[in-house]
Amino acid sequence: MNAPLPVDVLKQHLIDPEICIRCNTCEETCPVDAITHDSNNYVVDPDICNGCMACVPPCPTGSIDNWRLMVRSEAYSVQEQFGWEELPKEKALPAASPTSTPIEGADTSLDSPLSQAAETLAAAPAQASFTPAGASVPPWSAAHPYVNLYTHKAPMTATVVGNYRVTGADTESDIHHIVLDFGELPFPVLEGQSIGILPPGVDAQGRPHHARQYSLASPRDGERAGYNNLSLTVKRVTEDHGGAAAHGVCSNYLCDLAKNDTVQVIGPFGHTFLMPNHPRANLIMICTGTGSAPMRAMTERYRRRIDSGENGRLMLFFGARTERELPYFGPLMKLPRDFIDINLALSREPGQPKRYVQDLIRDRAAQVCDLLADRNTCIYVCGLKGMEVGVLDALRDVTMQSGQDWSILHEVLRREGRLHFETY
Ligand code: FAD
């Protein structure tokens, strides 16, 4: 049983290029930098991946969860994976394949060390060696999400029934509220989930554009309650993250759509950034820019049942440069103050000091701690990638000030599915 293996078998981690929506979550999550990408694919380097599974729960599509038992010397290289349009068919290991050429020196009988090693590897439990900042499970009372109902190979066609700008016309930030209708076809969604949009046309290599992901801005029962539709909050990308001019393929396509145009949709995606379903659950929502989309969806879910007596407390921290660059500013400010506690952090409002969401979390420390002490409270953070560290620091500071140990509370929030991040 414990004899040395004649052949080194690898449980190779692969990403399905047909399902992957290139959201970069896996590459950011991987603690050992085993995941990389080119303009075609996201791939896993077999020489680096240690199978720690850190990337698996955050992947919104499940495309990351593919494994092949391979003789290590035959593992698919990074370069090979870059060229894939689909996953290759599974190959039988030499020991299990009657037609394959035995590997020199290997015992290829079914009870051989090689097939035993393969079984052991296949059944090997995930080794957790990395702790992400947010939870990898949904809140205990979240409704069951449907995911991947529509795929690249079989997308759904939706019709645009609304498209209008929700930021001041005189601002640089061109953010649109887009309503898509699914007609008679099922597209069940929950607040916090996202969908993928397949922009028409091809990229510089002549390949169809890959899908881009957008969070739902409407609640589960539709942008208009009882209708089979949903809404998105899309920012027109006109410059890259470094500020250089760029023409975002999908965001410009979406922002330019007219009523009655059709769009190819895949998804839904997401099984953890979901709201609690039990009565009197509180939500702390922290967002910037289009990160407000899931917060709008959750807030609207609460607003529609405002008279039911089921609602807990809502506390919103919302950051933008100016009021006029805040999507949905007008409707947001019309919500009753006893329904939602709104805290606006403006970083470039003329005549006002720069404020960021983390500043306001510290300003409202007592109320935040009060909510955090309640096990019915869930926290959602969505928006710019860079906001995670600042928000975590602020949450740590306010809990420490109140005499609590943040490292313990943080772990409890993660374990109980009560702290969620979605940044891009
Ligand atoms: P691309 O053609 O892909 O990129 C053009 C250039 O712009 C590239 O240089 C790229 O690096 C840069 N770039 C890409 N994204 C951005 C950005 N957001 N800001 C500045 N520069 C960028 N976007 C929304 O507008 N609303 C949402 O609700 C939303 N939800 C998302 C949810 C998830 C889980 C994820 C992963 C992303 C989400 N996004 C959302 C981002 C969205 O998927 C696209 O990345 C974005 O619209 C840009 O796509 P594009 O095709 O227009 O740009």
PDB file of all heavy atoms in Angstrom, residues 23 25 60 194 199 210 212-216 233-237 239-241 246-252 290-291 293-294 422-424, ligand 1:
ATOM      1  N   CYS A  23     -14.127  37.142 -15.102  1.00  0.00           N
ATOM      2  CA  CYS A  23     -14.383  38.210 -14.133  1.00  0.00           C
ATOM      3  C   CYS A  23     -13.159  38.496 -13.274  1.00  0.00           C
ATOM      4  O   CYS A  23     -13.161  39.435 -12.487  1.00  0.00           O
ATOM      5  CB  CYS A  23     -15.586  37.870 -13.260  1.00  0.00           C
ATOM      6  SG  CYS A  23     -15.340  36.422 -12.201  1.00  0.00           S
ATOM      7  N   THR A  25     -12.055  37.032 -10.702  1.00  0.00           N
ATOM      8  CA  THR A  25     -12.167  36.711  -9.277  1.00  0.00           C
ATOM      9  C   THR A  25     -11.161  35.640  -8.871  1.00  0.00           C
ATOM     10  O   THR A  25     -10.508  35.752  -7.837  1.00  0.00           O
ATOM     11  CB  THR A  25     -13.595  36.217  -8.959  1.00  0.00           C
ATOM     12  OG1 THR A  25     -14.507  37.168  -9.478  1.00  0.00           O
ATOM     13  CG2 THR A  25     -13.812  36.052  -7.473  1.00  0.00           C
ATOM     14  N   PRO A  60     -18.282  32.844  -9.704  1.00  0.00           N
ATOM     15  CA  PRO A  60     -19.730  32.968  -9.842  1.00  0.00           C
ATOM     16  C   PRO A  60     -20.363  31.941 -10.765  1.00  0.00           C
ATOM     17  O   PRO A  60     -21.559  31.700 -10.698  1.00  0.00           O
ATOM     18  CB  PRO A  60     -19.920  34.378 -10.410  1.00  0.00           C
ATOM     19  CG  PRO A  60     -18.633  34.719 -11.049  1.00  0.00           C
ATOM     20  CD  PRO A  60     -17.563  33.957 -10.323  1.00  0.00           C
ATOM     21  N   SER A 194     -25.962  38.145 -10.314  1.00  0.00           N
ATOM     22  CA  SER A 194     -25.608  38.918 -11.500  1.00  0.00           C
ATOM     23  C   SER A 194     -25.963  38.104 -12.738  1.00  0.00           C
ATOM     24  O   SER A 194     -26.284  36.910 -12.634  1.00  0.00           O
ATOM     25  CB  SER A 194     -24.112  39.256 -11.489  1.00  0.00           C
ATOM     26  OG  SER A 194     -23.367  38.062 -11.423  1.00  0.00           O
ATOM     27  N   PRO A 199     -21.740  40.599 -25.597  1.00  0.00           N
ATOM     28  CA  PRO A 199     -21.785  41.677 -26.585  1.00  0.00           C
ATOM     29  C   PRO A 199     -21.604  41.108 -27.991  1.00  0.00           C
ATOM     30  O   PRO A 199     -20.862  40.143 -28.164  1.00  0.00           O
ATOM     31  CB  PRO A 199     -20.617  42.599 -26.197  1.00  0.00           C
ATOM     32  CG  PRO A 199     -19.766  41.813 -25.271  1.00  0.00           C
ATOM     33  CD  PRO A 199     -20.518  40.613 -24.788  1.00  0.00           C
ATOM     34  N   HIS A 210     -16.068  37.833 -25.050  1.00  0.00           N
ATOM     35  CA  HIS A 210     -16.528  37.069 -23.892  1.00  0.00           C
ATOM     36  C   HIS A 210     -17.600  37.862 -23.147  1.00  0.00           C
ATOM     37  O   HIS A 210     -17.769  39.062 -23.355  1.00  0.00           O
ATOM     38  CB  HIS A 210     -15.355  36.692 -22.981  1.00  0.00           C
ATOM     39  CG  HIS A 210     -14.654  37.854 -22.363  1.00  0.00           C
ATOM     40  ND1 HIS A 210     -15.179  38.545 -21.299  1.00  0.00           N
ATOM     41  CD2 HIS A 210     -13.481  38.455 -22.666  1.00  0.00           C
ATOM     42  CE1 HIS A 210     -14.346  39.509 -20.971  1.00  0.00           C
ATOM     43  NE2 HIS A 210     -13.313  39.487 -21.785  1.00  0.00           N
ATOM     44  N   ARG A 212     -19.620  39.778 -20.196  1.00  0.00           N
ATOM     45  CA  ARG A 212     -19.338  40.658 -19.053  1.00  0.00           C
ATOM     46  C   ARG A 212     -20.476  40.489 -18.050  1.00  0.00           C
ATOM     47  O   ARG A 212     -21.626  40.277 -18.433  1.00  0.00           O
ATOM     48  CB  ARG A 212     -19.279  42.124 -19.466  1.00  0.00           C
ATOM     49  CG  ARG A 212     -17.896  42.640 -19.871  1.00  0.00           C
ATOM     50  CD  ARG A 212     -17.322  41.974 -21.067  1.00  0.00           C
ATOM     51  NE  ARG A 212     -16.218  42.739 -21.664  1.00  0.00           N
ATOM     52  CZ  ARG A 212     -15.647  42.439 -22.802  1.00  0.00           C
ATOM     53  NH1 ARG A 212     -16.020  41.377 -23.474  1.00  0.00           N
ATOM     54  NH2 ARG A 212     -14.670  43.188 -23.271  1.00  0.00           N
ATOM     55  N   GLN A 213     -20.101  40.672 -16.772  1.00  0.00           N
ATOM     56  CA  GLN A 213     -21.044  40.397 -15.694  1.00  0.00           C
ATOM     57  C   GLN A 213     -21.634  41.702 -15.155  1.00  0.00           C
ATOM     58  O   GLN A 213     -20.907  42.688 -14.999  1.00  0.00           O
ATOM     59  CB  GLN A 213     -20.238  39.719 -14.586  1.00  0.00           C
ATOM     60  CG  GLN A 213     -20.955  38.686 -13.798  1.00  0.00           C
ATOM     61  CD  GLN A 213     -20.009  38.014 -12.815  1.00  0.00           C
ATOM     62  OE1 GLN A 213     -18.781  38.034 -12.995  1.00  0.00           O
ATOM     63  NE2 GLN A 213     -20.564  37.438 -11.783  1.00  0.00           N
ATOM     64  N   TYR A 214     -22.918  41.702 -14.851  1.00  0.00           N
ATOM     65  CA  TYR A 214     -23.572  42.886 -14.269  1.00  0.00           C
ATOM     66  C   TYR A 214     -24.504  42.455 -13.141  1.00  0.00           C
ATOM     67  O   TYR A 214     -25.279  41.509 -13.290  1.00  0.00           O
ATOM     68  CB  TYR A 214     -24.344  43.664 -15.348  1.00  0.00           C
ATOM     69  CG  TYR A 214     -23.384  44.216 -16.385  1.00  0.00           C
ATOM     70  CD1 TYR A 214     -23.054  43.489 -17.522  1.00  0.00           C
ATOM     71  CD2 TYR A 214     -22.722  45.428 -16.170  1.00  0.00           C
ATOM     72  CE1 TYR A 214     -22.114  43.956 -18.439  1.00  0.00           C
ATOM     73  CE2 TYR A 214     -21.781  45.904 -17.074  1.00  0.00           C
ATOM     74  CZ  TYR A 214     -21.478  45.161 -18.205  1.00  0.00           C
ATOM     75  OH  TYR A 214     -20.536  45.622 -19.092  1.00  0.00           O
ATOM     76  N   SER A 215     -24.424  43.186 -12.015  1.00  0.00           N
ATOM     77  CA  SER A 215     -25.279  42.874 -10.863  1.00  0.00           C
ATOM     78  C   SER A 215     -26.708  43.290 -11.139  1.00  0.00           C
ATOM     79  O   SER A 215     -26.945  44.310 -11.800  1.00  0.00           O
ATOM     80  CB  SER A 215     -24.809  43.655  -9.629  1.00  0.00           C
ATOM     81  OG  SER A 215     -23.467  43.405  -9.356  1.00  0.00           O
ATOM     82  N   LEU A 216     -27.628  42.558 -10.595  1.00  0.00           N
ATOM     83  CA  LEU A 216     -29.041  42.952 -10.696  1.00  0.00           C
ATOM     84  C   LEU A 216     -29.290  44.191  -9.848  1.00  0.00           C
ATOM     85  O   LEU A 216     -28.819  44.265  -8.709  1.00  0.00           O
ATOM     86  CB  LEU A 216     -29.904  41.846 -10.100  1.00  0.00           C
ATOM     87  CG  LEU A 216     -30.547  40.902 -11.064  1.00  0.00           C
ATOM     88  CD1 LEU A 216     -29.513  40.117 -11.803  1.00  0.00           C
ATOM     89  CD2 LEU A 216     -31.466  39.982 -10.299  1.00  0.00           C
ATOM     90  N   THR A 233     -27.471  48.340 -13.609  1.00  0.00           N
ATOM     91  CA  THR A 233     -26.907  49.684 -13.472  1.00  0.00           C
ATOM     92  C   THR A 233     -25.543  49.636 -14.145  1.00  0.00           C
ATOM     93  O   THR A 233     -24.616  49.018 -13.613  1.00  0.00           O
ATOM     94  CB  THR A 233     -26.736  50.039 -11.980  1.00  0.00           C
ATOM     95  OG1 THR A 233     -27.946  49.744 -11.292  1.00  0.00           O
ATOM     96  CG2 THR A 233     -26.391  51.504 -11.796  1.00  0.00           C
ATOM     97  N   VAL A 234     -25.416  50.246 -15.311  1.00  0.00           N
ATOM     98  CA  VAL A 234     -24.201  50.054 -16.111  1.00  0.00           C
ATOM     99  C   VAL A 234     -23.463  51.381 -16.306  1.00  0.00           C
ATOM    100  O   VAL A 234     -24.042  52.364 -16.779  1.00  0.00           O
ATOM    101  CB  VAL A 234     -24.537  49.445 -17.485  1.00  0.00           C
ATOM    102  CG1 VAL A 234     -23.270  49.243 -18.312  1.00  0.00           C
ATOM    103  CG2 VAL A 234     -25.267  48.128 -17.316  1.00  0.00           C
ATOM    104  N   LYS A 235     -22.198  51.362 -15.964  1.00  0.00           N
ATOM    105  CA  LYS A 235     -21.362  52.552 -16.176  1.00  0.00           C
ATOM    106  C   LYS A 235     -20.647  52.445 -17.523  1.00  0.00           C
ATOM    107  O   LYS A 235     -19.984  51.440 -17.807  1.00  0.00           O
ATOM    108  CB  LYS A 235     -20.326  52.666 -15.054  1.00  0.00           C
ATOM    109  CG  LYS A 235     -19.434  53.848 -15.246  1.00  0.00           C
ATOM    110  CD  LYS A 235     -18.461  54.056 -14.130  1.00  0.00           C
ATOM    111  CE  LYS A 235     -17.587  55.220 -14.547  1.00  0.00           C
ATOM    112  NZ  LYS A 235     -16.697  55.684 -13.575  1.00  0.00           N
ATOM    113  N   ARG A 236     -20.768  53.485 -18.315  1.00  0.00           N
ATOM    114  CA  ARG A 236     -20.082  53.509 -19.611  1.00  0.00           C
ATOM    115  C   ARG A 236     -18.579  53.671 -19.364  1.00  0.00           C
ATOM    116  O   ARG A 236     -18.146  54.671 -18.764  1.00  0.00           O
ATOM    117  CB  ARG A 236     -20.593  54.700 -20.432  1.00  0.00           C
ATOM    118  CG  ARG A 236     -20.087  54.725 -21.864  1.00  0.00           C
ATOM    119  CD  ARG A 236     -20.434  56.021 -22.555  1.00  0.00           C
ATOM    120  NE  ARG A 236     -21.842  56.213 -22.844  1.00  0.00           N
ATOM    121  CZ  ARG A 236     -22.503  55.696 -23.879  1.00  0.00           C
ATOM    122  NH1 ARG A 236     -21.868  54.936 -24.731  1.00  0.00           N
ATOM    123  NH2 ARG A 236     -23.790  55.934 -24.067  1.00  0.00           N
ATOM    124  N   VAL A 237     -17.793  52.681 -19.793  1.00  0.00           N
ATOM    125  CA  VAL A 237     -16.341  52.745 -19.585  1.00  0.00           C
ATOM    126  C   VAL A 237     -15.711  53.491 -20.757  1.00  0.00           C
ATOM    127  O   VAL A 237     -15.769  53.028 -21.903  1.00  0.00           O
ATOM    128  CB  VAL A 237     -15.749  51.325 -19.418  1.00  0.00           C
ATOM    129  CG1 VAL A 237     -14.225  51.359 -19.434  1.00  0.00           C
ATOM    130  CG2 VAL A 237     -16.236  50.689 -18.127  1.00  0.00           C
ATOM    131  N   GLU A 239     -12.569  55.109 -20.051  1.00  0.00           N
ATOM    132  CA  GLU A 239     -11.124  55.084 -19.766  1.00  0.00           C
ATOM    133  C   GLU A 239     -10.810  53.852 -18.927  1.00  0.00           C
ATOM    134  O   GLU A 239     -11.697  53.321 -18.251  1.00  0.00           O
ATOM    135  CB  GLU A 239     -10.661  56.366 -19.076  1.00  0.00           C
ATOM    136  CG  GLU A 239     -11.490  56.818 -17.926  1.00  0.00           C
ATOM    137  CD  GLU A 239     -11.022  58.158 -17.365  1.00  0.00           C
ATOM    138  OE1 GLU A 239     -10.786  59.097 -18.150  1.00  0.00           O
ATOM    139  OE2 GLU A 239     -10.886  58.234 -16.130  1.00  0.00           O
ATOM    140  N   ASP A 240      -9.560  53.393 -19.012  1.00  0.00           N
ATOM    141  CA  ASP A 240      -9.200  52.200 -18.257  1.00  0.00           C
ATOM    142  C   ASP A 240      -8.934  52.579 -16.805  1.00  0.00           C
ATOM    143  O   ASP A 240      -9.055  53.740 -16.417  1.00  0.00           O
ATOM    144  CB  ASP A 240      -8.021  51.461 -18.907  1.00  0.00           C
ATOM    145  CG  ASP A 240      -6.731  52.274 -18.862  1.00  0.00           C
ATOM    146  OD1 ASP A 240      -6.652  53.257 -18.099  1.00  0.00           O
ATOM    147  OD2 ASP A 240      -5.793  51.915 -19.615  1.00  0.00           O
ATOM    148  N   HIS A 241      -8.552  51.588 -16.017  1.00  0.00           N
ATOM    149  CA  HIS A 241      -8.376  51.838 -14.585  1.00  0.00           C
ATOM    150  C   HIS A 241      -7.257  52.845 -14.319  1.00  0.00           C
ATOM    151  O   HIS A 241      -7.238  53.492 -13.279  1.00  0.00           O
ATOM    152  CB  HIS A 241      -8.107  50.521 -13.839  1.00  0.00           C
ATOM    153  CG  HIS A 241      -9.299  49.601 -13.837  1.00  0.00           C
ATOM    154  ND1 HIS A 241     -10.444  49.876 -13.130  1.00  0.00           N
ATOM    155  CD2 HIS A 241      -9.526  48.430 -14.485  1.00  0.00           C
ATOM    156  CE1 HIS A 241     -11.333  48.913 -13.325  1.00  0.00           C
ATOM    157  NE2 HIS A 241     -10.804  48.026 -14.153  1.00  0.00           N
ATOM    158  N   ALA A 246     -10.176  54.608 -23.219  1.00  0.00           N
ATOM    159  CA  ALA A 246     -10.478  53.220 -23.604  1.00  0.00           C
ATOM    160  C   ALA A 246     -11.963  53.149 -23.936  1.00  0.00           C
ATOM    161  O   ALA A 246     -12.761  53.934 -23.416  1.00  0.00           O
ATOM    162  CB  ALA A 246     -10.154  52.250 -22.463  1.00  0.00           C
ATOM    163  N   HIS A 247     -12.306  52.245 -24.829  1.00  0.00           N
ATOM    164  CA  HIS A 247     -13.704  52.085 -25.196  1.00  0.00           C
ATOM    165  C   HIS A 247     -14.168  50.724 -24.695  1.00  0.00           C
ATOM    166  O   HIS A 247     -13.846  49.707 -25.297  1.00  0.00           O
ATOM    167  CB  HIS A 247     -13.848  52.181 -26.729  1.00  0.00           C
ATOM    168  CG  HIS A 247     -15.263  52.108 -27.188  1.00  0.00           C
ATOM    169  ND1 HIS A 247     -16.103  53.199 -27.186  1.00  0.00           N
ATOM    170  CD2 HIS A 247     -15.997  51.063 -27.650  1.00  0.00           C
ATOM    171  CE1 HIS A 247     -17.292  52.832 -27.640  1.00  0.00           C
ATOM    172  NE2 HIS A 247     -17.255  51.539 -27.919  1.00  0.00           N
ATOM    173  N   GLY A 248     -14.863  50.718 -23.576  1.00  0.00           N
ATOM    174  CA  GLY A 248     -15.354  49.464 -23.015  1.00  0.00           C
ATOM    175  C   GLY A 248     -16.350  48.810 -23.962  1.00  0.00           C
ATOM    176  O   GLY A 248     -17.350  49.427 -24.342  1.00  0.00           O
ATOM    177  N   VAL A 249     -16.073  47.562 -24.341  1.00  0.00           N
ATOM    178  CA  VAL A 249     -16.881  46.882 -25.362  1.00  0.00           C
ATOM    179  C   VAL A 249     -18.332  46.734 -24.911  1.00  0.00           C
ATOM    180  O   VAL A 249     -19.279  47.140 -25.597  1.00  0.00           O
ATOM    181  CB  VAL A 249     -16.280  45.485 -25.666  1.00  0.00           C
ATOM    182  CG1 VAL A 249     -17.208  44.650 -26.526  1.00  0.00           C
ATOM    183  CG2 VAL A 249     -14.933  45.635 -26.334  1.00  0.00           C
ATOM    184  N   CYS A 250     -18.529  46.138 -23.761  1.00  0.00           N
ATOM    185  CA  CYS A 250     -19.890  45.758 -23.373  1.00  0.00           C
ATOM    186  C   CYS A 250     -20.656  46.928 -22.745  1.00  0.00           C
ATOM    187  O   CYS A 250     -21.857  47.092 -22.985  1.00  0.00           O
ATOM    188  CB  CYS A 250     -19.828  44.582 -22.407  1.00  0.00           C
ATOM    189  SG  CYS A 250     -21.397  43.779 -22.202  1.00  0.00           S
ATOM    190  N   SER A 251     -19.958  47.726 -21.941  1.00  0.00           N
ATOM    191  CA  SER A 251     -20.670  48.822 -21.266  1.00  0.00           C
ATOM    192  C   SER A 251     -21.175  49.837 -22.294  1.00  0.00           C
ATOM    193  O   SER A 251     -22.304  50.348 -22.168  1.00  0.00           O
ATOM    194  CB  SER A 251     -19.762  49.494 -20.233  1.00  0.00           C
ATOM    195  OG  SER A 251     -18.592  49.980 -20.839  1.00  0.00           O
ATOM    196  N   ASN A 252     -20.378  50.112 -23.331  1.00  0.00           N
ATOM    197  CA  ASN A 252     -20.843  51.057 -24.367  1.00  0.00           C
ATOM    198  C   ASN A 252     -21.987  50.447 -25.173  1.00  0.00           C
ATOM    199  O   ASN A 252     -22.960  51.135 -25.495  1.00  0.00           O
ATOM    200  CB  ASN A 252     -19.685  51.465 -25.281  1.00  0.00           C
ATOM    201  CG  ASN A 252     -18.811  52.510 -24.613  1.00  0.00           C
ATOM    202  OD1 ASN A 252     -19.115  53.706 -24.672  1.00  0.00           O
ATOM    203  ND2 ASN A 252     -17.766  52.076 -23.925  1.00  0.00           N
ATOM    204  N   THR A 290     -21.507  51.977  -9.354  1.00  0.00           N
ATOM    205  CA  THR A 290     -22.456  50.935  -9.772  1.00  0.00           C
ATOM    206  C   THR A 290     -22.551  49.806  -8.746  1.00  0.00           C
ATOM    207  O   THR A 290     -23.414  48.926  -8.880  1.00  0.00           O
ATOM    208  CB  THR A 290     -22.047  50.342 -11.134  1.00  0.00           C
ATOM    209  OG1 THR A 290     -20.694  49.889 -11.051  1.00  0.00           O
ATOM    210  CG2 THR A 290     -22.186  51.364 -12.246  1.00  0.00           C
ATOM    211  N   GLY A 291     -21.711  49.832  -7.731  1.00  0.00           N
ATOM    212  CA  GLY A 291     -21.857  48.899  -6.605  1.00  0.00           C
ATOM    213  C   GLY A 291     -23.176  49.106  -5.892  1.00  0.00           C
ATOM    214  O   GLY A 291     -23.565  48.296  -5.040  1.00  0.00           O
ATOM    215  N   ALA A 293     -25.950  48.808  -7.342  1.00  0.00           N
ATOM    216  CA  ALA A 293     -26.980  47.973  -7.974  1.00  0.00           C
ATOM    217  C   ALA A 293     -27.562  46.933  -7.018  1.00  0.00           C
ATOM    218  O   ALA A 293     -28.784  46.920  -6.802  1.00  0.00           O
ATOM    219  CB  ALA A 293     -26.421  47.313  -9.246  1.00  0.00           C
ATOM    220  N   PRO A 294     -26.727  46.072  -6.407  1.00  0.00           N
ATOM    221  CA  PRO A 294     -27.347  45.077  -5.515  1.00  0.00           C
ATOM    222  C   PRO A 294     -28.011  45.713  -4.296  1.00  0.00           C
ATOM    223  O   PRO A 294     -28.968  45.158  -3.750  1.00  0.00           O
ATOM    224  CB  PRO A 294     -26.163  44.181  -5.094  1.00  0.00           C
ATOM    225  CG  PRO A 294     -24.936  44.963  -5.400  1.00  0.00           C
ATOM    226  CD  PRO A 294     -25.269  45.869  -6.533  1.00  0.00           C
ATOM    227  N   GLU A 422     -18.320  42.156  -3.106  1.00  0.00           N
ATOM    228  CA  GLU A 422     -18.339  41.975  -4.563  1.00  0.00           C
ATOM    229  C   GLU A 422     -17.715  43.245  -5.146  1.00  0.00           C
ATOM    230  O   GLU A 422     -18.361  44.289  -5.194  1.00  0.00           O
ATOM    231  CB  GLU A 422     -19.756  41.810  -5.075  1.00  0.00           C
ATOM    232  CG  GLU A 422     -19.766  41.508  -6.557  1.00  0.00           C
ATOM    233  CD  GLU A 422     -20.816  40.480  -6.915  1.00  0.00           C
ATOM    234  OE1 GLU A 422     -20.552  39.284  -6.705  1.00  0.00           O
ATOM    235  OE2 GLU A 422     -21.889  40.884  -7.351  1.00  0.00           O
ATOM    236  N   THR A 423     -16.443  43.144  -5.498  1.00  0.00           N
ATOM    237  CA  THR A 423     -15.753  44.323  -6.012  1.00  0.00           C
ATOM    238  C   THR A 423     -15.139  43.991  -7.360  1.00  0.00           C
ATOM    239  O   THR A 423     -14.783  42.852  -7.628  1.00  0.00           O
ATOM    240  CB  THR A 423     -14.676  44.816  -5.022  1.00  0.00           C
ATOM    241  OG1 THR A 423     -13.783  43.749  -4.749  1.00  0.00           O
ATOM    242  CG2 THR A 423     -15.306  45.290  -3.721  1.00  0.00           C
ATOM    243  N   TYR A 424     -15.044  44.974  -8.215  1.00  0.00           N
ATOM    244  CA  TYR A 424     -14.546  44.738  -9.586  1.00  0.00           C
ATOM    245  C   TYR A 424     -13.873  45.988 -10.135  1.00  0.00           C
ATOM    246  O   TYR A 424     -13.951  47.032  -9.533  1.00  0.00           O
ATOM    247  CB  TYR A 424     -15.689  44.306 -10.503  1.00  0.00           C
ATOM    248  CG  TYR A 424     -16.968  45.112 -10.381  1.00  0.00           C
ATOM    249  CD1 TYR A 424     -17.153  46.280 -11.108  1.00  0.00           C
ATOM    250  CD2 TYR A 424     -17.986  44.721  -9.498  1.00  0.00           C
ATOM    251  CE1 TYR A 424     -18.316  47.019 -10.990  1.00  0.00           C
ATOM    252  CE2 TYR A 424     -19.155  45.453  -9.385  1.00  0.00           C
ATOM    253  CZ  TYR A 424     -19.329  46.600 -10.128  1.00  0.00           C
ATOM    254  OH  TYR A 424     -20.482  47.334 -10.000  1.00  0.00           O
TER     255      TYR A 424
HETATM  256  P1  FAD B   1     -13.680  46.211 -21.535  1.00  0.00           P
HETATM  257  O1  FAD B   1     -13.765  46.289 -22.999  1.00  0.00           O
HETATM  258  O2  FAD B   1     -13.699  44.862 -20.901  1.00  0.00           O
HETATM  259  O3  FAD B   1     -12.429  46.985 -20.993  1.00  0.00           O
HETATM  260  C1  FAD B   1     -11.966  48.178 -21.576  1.00  0.00           C
HETATM  261  C2  FAD B   1     -10.907  48.774 -20.719  1.00  0.00           C
HETATM  262  O4  FAD B   1     -11.477  49.329 -19.552  1.00  0.00           O
HETATM  263  C3  FAD B   1      -9.871  47.774 -20.228  1.00  0.00           C
HETATM  264  O5  FAD B   1      -8.638  48.431 -20.222  1.00  0.00           O
HETATM  265  C4  FAD B   1     -10.315  47.442 -18.821  1.00  0.00           C
HETATM  266  O6  FAD B   1      -9.219  47.140 -17.995  1.00  0.00           O
HETATM  267  C5  FAD B   1     -10.930  48.738 -18.372  1.00  0.00           C
HETATM  268  N1  FAD B   1     -12.069  48.509 -17.462  1.00  0.00           N
HETATM  269  C6  FAD B   1     -12.809  47.397 -17.356  1.00  0.00           C
HETATM  270  N2  FAD B   1     -13.789  47.565 -16.425  1.00  0.00           N
HETATM  271  C7  FAD B   1     -13.682  48.800 -15.971  1.00  0.00           C
HETATM  272  C8  FAD B   1     -14.401  49.548 -15.012  1.00  0.00           C
HETATM  273  N3  FAD B   1     -15.462  49.027 -14.338  1.00  0.00           N
HETATM  274  N4  FAD B   1     -13.987  50.811 -14.777  1.00  0.00           N
HETATM  275  C9  FAD B   1     -12.948  51.327 -15.454  1.00  0.00           C
HETATM  276  N5  FAD B   1     -12.219  50.663 -16.389  1.00  0.00           N
HETATM  277  C10 FAD B   1     -12.571  49.417 -16.630  1.00  0.00           C
HETATM  278  N6  FAD B   1     -20.142  46.991 -14.177  1.00  0.00           N
HETATM  279  C11 FAD B   1     -21.181  47.860 -14.146  1.00  0.00           C
HETATM  280  O7  FAD B   1     -21.171  48.894 -14.832  1.00  0.00           O
HETATM  281  N7  FAD B   1     -22.295  47.610 -13.359  1.00  0.00           N
HETATM  282  C12 FAD B   1     -22.404  46.486 -12.581  1.00  0.00           C
HETATM  283  O8  FAD B   1     -23.413  46.297 -11.883  1.00  0.00           O
HETATM  284  C13 FAD B   1     -21.315  45.560 -12.637  1.00  0.00           C
HETATM  285  N8  FAD B   1     -21.368  44.438 -11.890  1.00  0.00           N
HETATM  286  C14 FAD B   1     -20.326  43.579 -11.918  1.00  0.00           C
HETATM  287  C15 FAD B   1     -20.381  42.446 -11.103  1.00  0.00           C
HETATM  288  C16 FAD B   1     -19.327  41.574 -11.082  1.00  0.00           C
HETATM  289  C17 FAD B   1     -19.394  40.363 -10.182  1.00  0.00           C
HETATM  290  C18 FAD B   1     -18.185  41.821 -11.897  1.00  0.00           C
HETATM  291  C19 FAD B   1     -17.013  40.881 -11.880  1.00  0.00           C
HETATM  292  C20 FAD B   1     -18.128  42.924 -12.702  1.00  0.00           C
HETATM  293  C21 FAD B   1     -19.189  43.823 -12.725  1.00  0.00           C
HETATM  294  N9  FAD B   1     -19.155  44.962 -13.521  1.00  0.00           N
HETATM  295  C22 FAD B   1     -20.196  45.840 -13.457  1.00  0.00           C
HETATM  296  C23 FAD B   1     -18.030  45.244 -14.441  1.00  0.00           C
HETATM  297  C24 FAD B   1     -18.423  44.722 -15.849  1.00  0.00           C
HETATM  298  O9  FAD B   1     -18.496  43.312 -15.837  1.00  0.00           O
HETATM  299  C25 FAD B   1     -17.421  45.115 -16.943  1.00  0.00           C
HETATM  300  O10 FAD B   1     -16.141  44.731 -16.515  1.00  0.00           O
HETATM  301  C26 FAD B   1     -17.421  46.601 -17.253  1.00  0.00           C
HETATM  302  O11 FAD B   1     -18.691  47.012 -17.720  1.00  0.00           O
HETATM  303  C27 FAD B   1     -16.380  46.920 -18.351  1.00  0.00           C
HETATM  304  O12 FAD B   1     -16.653  46.104 -19.460  1.00  0.00           O
HETATM  305  P2  FAD B   1     -16.395  46.669 -20.913  1.00  0.00           P
HETATM  306  O13 FAD B   1     -16.635  45.542 -21.858  1.00  0.00           O
HETATM  307  O14 FAD B   1     -17.169  47.913 -21.131  1.00  0.00           O
HETATM  308  O15 FAD B   1     -14.878  47.059 -20.871  1.00  0.00           O
END
